[in-house]
Amino acid sequence: NVAPTIALKLGLQNGLTFRGSFTTSNRFPTPFMSRRLGNGVSGGGGAPPVSIFDPQRNERYTAESRLVINPNLGSENAVTQTLGIIFERGERNRFRASLDFFDTRKTNEIFGLGPTQLLDLEAYFPELIDRAAPDPANPSLPGRVNVLYTTSANLAERHSQNWMTTVDFARRDVWGGTIDLRGRLMYFQKFERQIVADGSVFDEIRAPSSSTENLLEYRATFGGGWSNRHLGLGIDGQYFHSQHLPQSQWEGHGARTIDPFWQADVFVQGDLGHWLLSESSRLGLKGQVRINNVFKNSYPRYGSATDLSGVRPYGDWRGRTFSL
């Protein structure tokens, strides 16, 4: 396993820094993924039925799901190139901004085929879906799914390009402490995937082949706070852009996209050692009270959710939570 990486970073006296890298990597199947269980499709039974949304029947019902091992799973190879610029200024008032571009190409990408992915990609993996015979009264409608054989497979190729920008600002000596502000934005310019070597190339951002929970065109984090030696308070936030759905899920969901979502978390923290520990103690003790999703924003509706929740959760499913 030889996967060389070359990186270069050049810092100038005016606060500008340029950086770039060329990285190769190989991802090998684990023994569990690639061990042979015998000829044909086989696997463990006894698992409880799972809820599925069948796009060919536009119907929700339960089916059996069995994990099978792909004995022909090969290694995944990737090449990533990056190019970025950083600008930094100030001591008392510190400012830092960066912009980076990433280009990744993968061959033989190892891809998990769960129930949702299998149903979206049934045309490519029909042998992994066991359906009942069609109803004689409606022979054009495929029969219900009896068993889904979930597994891992090698996809032909993937090419993605994304940008990431970060901004940080800190100002000292404000009410006896430091104010800091920060933000990060990631944007996927391209995410193209080819399932099989002679098949179509899918734009997984705007016209995806299957549902991928973590693939969004935009996502961002932001926050700020004030702190000194004894006390601190602040806010953290996250933003998730709307997500395009594969065409097979449009009717079941009732729309072509999942709505965007954002949440804010607030916290207050302090030094408790001053009150609870002796002055000679070498130990420290800090406490924090935190409220996540303080505005109790509801998760966006997702009509094709396999867990029957009907939403796409981007964090703690309980919504607003308090922690100490």
Side-chain angles (χ1 to χ4, degrees), residues 92-110:
R92 182 173 178 269
N93 300 328
R94 302 191 308 272
F95 176 81
R96 183 183 187 275
S98 66
L99 177 65
D100 291 277
F101 173 75
F102 301 81
D103 182 281
T104 300
R105 292 181 181 270
K106 287 187 177 183
T107 55
N108 293 329
E109 179 183 13
I110 298 176

Side-chain angles (χ1 to χ4, degrees), residues 181-201:
L181 303 172
R182 57 195 177 276
R184 172 178 292 182
L185 173 67
M186 185 170 70
Y187 162 65
F188 266 102
Q189 175 178 306
K190 174 189 291 188
F191 200 108
E192 295 179 341
R193 176 178 281 144
Q194 191 174 27
I195 309 298
V196 294
D198 57 349
S200 302
V201 176

Side-chain angles (χ1 to χ4, degrees), residues 8-318:
L8 176 66
K9 187 174 181 180
L10 176 64
L12 305 180
Q13 292 183 350
N14 60 1
L16 284 176
T17 301
F18 298 91
R19 60 185 175 186
S21 65
F22 180 91
T23 306
T24 62
S25 64
N26 302 318
R27 180 187 177 200
F28 295 94
T30 65
F32 178 77
M33 288 180 182
S34 56
R35 68 179 178 173
R36 186 177 296 275
L37 294 182
N39 297 325
V41 175
S42 60
V50 296
S51 172
I52 65 171
F53 177 80
D54 189 343
Q56 294 210 40
R57 296 177 59 89
N58 189 31
E59 183 181 352
R60 181 180 295 281
Y61 54 92
T62 59
E64 186 179 350
S65 175
R66 295 183 184 178
L67 173 65
V68 299
I69 307 303
N70 181 358
N72 300 314
L73 199 61
S75 63
E76 172 185 292
N77 312 110
V79 175
T80 298
Q81 302 174 76
T82 71
L83 186 63
I85 183 172
I86 307 170
F87 178 71
E88 298 176 284
R89 274 295 175 87
E91 292 294 334
R92 182 173 178 269
N93 300 328
R94 302 191 308 272
F95 176 81
R96 183 183 187 275
S98 66
L99 177 65
D100 291 277
F101 173 75
F102 301 81
D103 182 281
T104 300
R105 292 181 181 270
K106 287 187 177 183
T107 55
N108 293 329
E109 179 183 13
I110 298 176
F111 187 75
L113 293 171
T116 302
Q117 288 75 26
L118 274 178
L119 290 167
D120 287 338
L121 301 175
E122 183 173 358
Y124 297 95
F125 304 99
E127 71 280 4
L128 297 177
I129 300 180
D130 178 19
R131 287 185 178 271
D135 188 341
N138 190 3
S140 62
L141 182 67
R144 280 192 165 199
V145 173
N146 292 323
V147 184
L148 291 165
Y149 296 99
T150 62
T151 188
S152 297
N154 290 113
L155 305 188
E157 190 175 358
R158 193 196 96 183
H159 182 203
S160 63
Q161 294 179 336
N162 66 282
W163 297 81
M164 182 177 294
T165 181
T166 62
V167 177
D168 298 275
F169 174 77
R171 181 181 176 88
R172 298 179 181 176
D173 302 325
V174 179
W175 303 311
T178 300
I179 287 181
D180 68 275
L181 303 172
R182 57 195 177 276
R184 172 178 292 182
L185 173 67
M186 185 170 70
Y187 162 65
F188 266 102
Q189 175 178 306
K190 174 189 291 188
F191 200 108
E192 295 179 341
R193 176 178 281 144
Q194 191 174 27
I195 309 298
V196 294
D198 57 349
S200 302
V201 176
F202 291 93
D203 180 350
E204 299 286 19
I205 295 290
R206 300 160 190 87
S209 61
S210 64
S211 177
T212 306
E213 292 188 10
N214 296 323
L215 189 56
L216 303 173
E217 187 172 4
Y218 296 95
R219 66 174 61 200
T221 59
F222 54 90
W226 173 89
S227 63
N228 59 19
R229 292 180 56 190
H230 305 291
L231 181 66
L233 52 91
I235 181 171
D236 297 320
Q238 302 177 73
Y239 171 76
F240 302 89
H241 192 57
S242 59
Q243 180 181 358
H244 291 266
L245 293 174
Q247 186 174 358
S248 60
Q249 296 184 18
W250 291 355
E251 189 171 355
H253 177 64
R256 298 188 178 189
T257 61
I258 299 175
D259 291 339
F261 173 77
W262 77 279
Q263 78 170 53
D265 312 330
V266 296
F267 64 90
V268 177
Q269 62 188 26
D271 180 12
L272 304 181
H274 178 73
W275 306 98
L276 302 177
L277 301 175
S278 65
E279 295 183 1
S280 60
S281 175
R282 296 184 177 182
L283 302 177
L285 182 63
K286 290 186 177 181
Q288 183 186 89
V289 176
R290 186 178 188 91
I291 306 176
N292 288 344
N293 198 359
V294 64
F295 298 111
K296 205 175 183 179
N297 293 338
S298 299
Y299 290 124
R301 187 181 64 84
Y302 179 32
S304 301
T306 57
D307 58 4
L308 296 179
S309 66
V311 299
R312 168 58 57 83
Y314 287 109
D316 195 320
W317 59 270
R318 294 170 295 180

